[in-house]
Amino acid sequence: MTVDRILPTDEAHDLLDLATELADRELAPRAAGFEERAEFPREVLRTLGRAGLLGLPYAEEHGGAAQPYEVYVQVLEILASRWLAVAEAVSVHTLSCYPVAQFGTDEQRKLLPDMIGGELLGAYCLSEPQGGSDAAALTTKAVRDGDAYVVSGTKAWITHARVADFYNIFCRTGGPGPKGISCLLADRNTPGIHPQAAERTMGLHASPVAQIAFDEARVPAERLIGGEGMGFTIAMSALDSGRLGIAACAVGLAQAALDYAIGYARERQQFGRAIIDFQGLGFTLADHATQISAARALLLAVARLRDAGRPYSVEAAKAKLFATDVAMRVTTDAVQVLGGAGYVTDHPVERYMREAKVLQIVEGTNQIQRLVISRALAKG
């Protein structure tokens, strides 16, 4: 179904048209094959980068498009409606560029054109095997040794772990708690950085996720971002933006599942009529259409808060929570609409359902989002 959008500029209309054209031509025809082969579509990311879609929210002086987040999240939604793994890759890469763009030195920002242009792919190394939600308790250490930091520890659930060209490493340079955490930018060929075997995930098979072991990896001290002790602040600031990216992915995935279910329900005949004409099914689809519209409206409202420079952390948690829960509900019911046909790989809805689950987990589980929101309510 066509989504009726109100966009801020003619340029934004052109960008969404470009995103739709590329998604239809480069993403949709390849998704099933790449997912079946568990192959990462690196060249697709380069194509999106060269088209300017990897740097939408970043400044033109760094190679970006200087677009508001309101536009960026709608581009992500379109990409996700054709192939979630690519949209999630764009979201993660955009997140990986954020520390340098927002907190980096002038020298570090010289890397941004290649990062934003997609020639260099990024990974965001925050979670660890013993703790993901409790980021302030991370244990990966970085010890200053002359003109470098020596990094030791293990990161877990790292998207792009085996294919990234650079890593944002959140590590402990000081005492316990958030004030002891710093952020280092490391190249993939740094000795002592060892991506492990890819995890065998439920969905997003084309997106390589793995642990990364740091065995006394020497990262130049000039690659420290924002100063010692700034890492936790950088991480949380980036995650606020990242949660909007995941919410956008969820809206796109849910829309794809709904559209497919509607198309099937219009064609599938039972008892002499199209199954969409039965109220039990038609009302379910109506509820889903309403929930997706509500998720999209919430997402755009929060993106506009961010664009206006207003506080949006709690609202981003709400958007991520609501949109990903909607995606899980819609994709699960889409399988049910197709019945037995929904349970086989001939139709994409079984993949949509498997993919939706991870959106409730990444960038902070939905339980963490509820914690963020409830704490804000308690403070008043």
Side-chain angles (χ1 to χ4, degrees), residues 16 24 59 63 66 71 97 108 140 151 161 163 185 188 246-247 270 275 278 312 364:
L16 263 65
D24 287 340
V71 174
C97 295
Q108 291 167 349
T140 296
V151 183
V163 295
L185 179 68
R188 67 175 297 173
I246 295 303
Q270 291 288 278
I275 62 174
F278 292 99
Y312 71 99

Side-chain angles (χ1 to χ4, degrees), residues 2 4 30 56-57 67 80 96 151 155 176-177 183 209 260 291 295 298 300 309 330 348-349 371:
T2 301
D4 190 14
R30 302 179 178 181
L56 290 178
Q67 288 297 307
S96 300
V151 183
K155 294 294 181 179
C183 179
V209 176
Y260 198 91
Q291 291 160 7
L298 176 57
L300 291 177
V330 172
V349 290
L371 182 63

Side-chain angles (χ1 to χ4, degrees), residues 301-365:
V302 182
R304 288 164 185 150
L305 281 178
R306 186 189 189 279
D307 292 333
R310 303 272 292 278
Y312 71 99
S313 180
V314 175
E315 299 306 308
K318 292 177 185 177
K320 195 270 185 184
L321 168 64
F322 185 73
T324 58
D325 280 354
V326 165
M328 191 74 251
R329 189 179 309 119
V330 172
T331 55
T332 300
D333 284 350
V335 173
Q336 194 70 22
V337 169
L338 270 67
Y343 198 67
V344 297
T345 58
D346 303 68
H347 300 275
V349 290
E350 62 83 27
R351 171 163 60 86
Y352 295 161
M353 186 182 77
R354 289 185 287 105
E355 292 174 340
K357 188 62 204 175
V358 76
L359 299 178
Q360 295 179 305
I361 299 170
V362 296
E363 308 291 13
T365 66

Side-chain angles (χ1 to χ4, degrees), residues 171-330:
C171 47
R172 191 162 299 284
T173 55
K179 294 183 179 179
I181 296 172
S182 299
C183 179
L184 296 171
L185 179 68
D187 296 329
R188 67 175 297 173
N189 58 0
T190 302
I193 297 181
H194 304 293
Q196 304 299 293
E199 304 285 358
R200 299 172 64 185
T201 54
M202 177 190 296
L204 291 180
H205 295 158
S207 177
V209 176
Q211 292 190 358
I212 302 179
F214 298 92
D215 182 14
E216 297 189 348
R218 293 184 64 88
V219 179
E222 64 191 24
R223 290 295 190 88
L224 174 69
I225 300 176
E228 285 198 5
M230 282 290 295
F232 192 77
T233 297
I234 294 171
M236 294 302 103
S237 176
L239 284 178
D240 286 341
S241 298
R243 285 166 181 165
L244 294 184
I246 295 303
C249 288
V251 171
L253 183 66
Q255 188 69 62
L258 176 64
D259 289 349
Y260 198 91
I262 290 171
Y264 184 89
R266 285 172 173 169
E267 297 295 326
R268 176 69 169 170
Q269 297 280 324
Q270 291 288 278
F271 306 103
R273 59 199 291 202
I275 62 174
I276 199 170
D277 292 331
F278 292 99
Q279 285 188 348
L281 192 149
F283 283 9
T284 295
L285 296 175
D287 286 342
H288 290 169
T290 302
Q291 291 160 7
I292 292 170
S293 292
R296 181 180 293 114
L298 176 57
L299 168 64
L300 291 177
V302 182
R304 288 164 185 150
L305 281 178
R306 186 189 189 279
D307 292 333
R310 303 272 292 278
Y312 71 99
S313 180
V314 175
E315 299 306 308
K318 292 177 185 177
K320 195 270 185 184
L321 168 64
F322 185 73
T324 58
D325 280 354
V326 165
M328 191 74 251
R329 189 179 309 119
V330 172

Side-chain angles (χ1 to χ4, degrees), residues 11-270:
E11 184 181 8
H13 280 281
D14 293 341
L15 281 170
L16 263 65
D17 287 344
L18 173 62
T20 301
E21 178 188 345
L22 287 173
D24 287 340
R25 186 180 74 230
E26 303 290 342
L27 274 62
R30 302 179 178 181
F34 273 77
E35 291 293 334
E36 185 176 353
R37 297 191 301 272
E39 179 182 350
F40 181 66
R42 183 66 180 91
E43 286 307 311
V44 172
L45 269 294
R46 285 197 177 91
T47 298
L48 295 179
R50 290 164 184 167
L53 297 184
L54 295 187
L56 290 178
Y58 293 117
E60 291 178 339
E61 63 184 291
H62 302 310
Q67 288 297 307
Y69 240 66
E70 170 189 1
V71 174
Y72 164 64
V73 295
Q74 292 184 82
V75 168
L76 268 186
E77 179 195 336
I78 290 169
L79 299 179
S81 69
R82 273 64 166 187
W83 189 358
L84 179 63
V86 169
E88 191 238 10
V90 172
S91 181
V92 169
H93 178 71
T94 302
L95 181 72
S96 300
C97 295
Y98 180 87
V100 172
Q102 191 70 21
F103 297 91
T105 64
D106 290 341
E107 188 64 27
Q108 291 167 349
R109 286 175 177 163
K110 291 179 180 179
L111 298 169
L112 280 173
D114 281 342
M115 293 164 69
I116 289 172
E119 296 305 314
L120 298 176
L121 187 68
Y124 194 80
C125 305
L126 180 61
S127 295
E128 296 186 350
Q130 75 284 357
S133 296
D134 189 6
L138 64 82
T139 60
T140 296
K141 291 184 178 180
V143 179
R144 183 68 182 261
D145 180 28
D147 60 355
Y149 285 92
V150 179
V151 183
S152 299
T154 302
K155 294 294 181 179
W157 311 114
I158 307 304
T159 301
H160 302 159
R162 297 172 57 80
V163 295
D165 298 296
F166 66 91
Y167 303 99
N168 293 284
I169 308 170
F170 292 90
C171 47
R172 191 162 299 284
T173 55
K179 294 183 179 179
I181 296 172
S182 299
C183 179
L184 296 171
L185 179 68
D187 296 329
R188 67 175 297 173
N189 58 0
T190 302
I193 297 181
H194 304 293
Q196 304 299 293
E199 304 285 358
R200 299 172 64 185
T201 54
M202 177 190 296
L204 291 180
H205 295 158
S207 177
V209 176
Q211 292 190 358
I212 302 179
F214 298 92
D215 182 14
E216 297 189 348
R218 293 184 64 88
V219 179
E222 64 191 24
R223 290 295 190 88
L224 174 69
I225 300 176
E228 285 198 5
M230 282 290 295
F232 192 77
T233 297
I234 294 171
M236 294 302 103
S237 176
L239 284 178
D240 286 341
S241 298
R243 285 166 181 165
L244 294 184
I246 295 303
C249 288
V251 171
L253 183 66
Q255 188 69 62
L258 176 64
D259 289 349
Y260 198 91
I262 290 171
Y264 184 89
R266 285 172 173 169
E267 297 295 326
R268 176 69 169 170
Q269 297 280 324
Q270 291 288 278

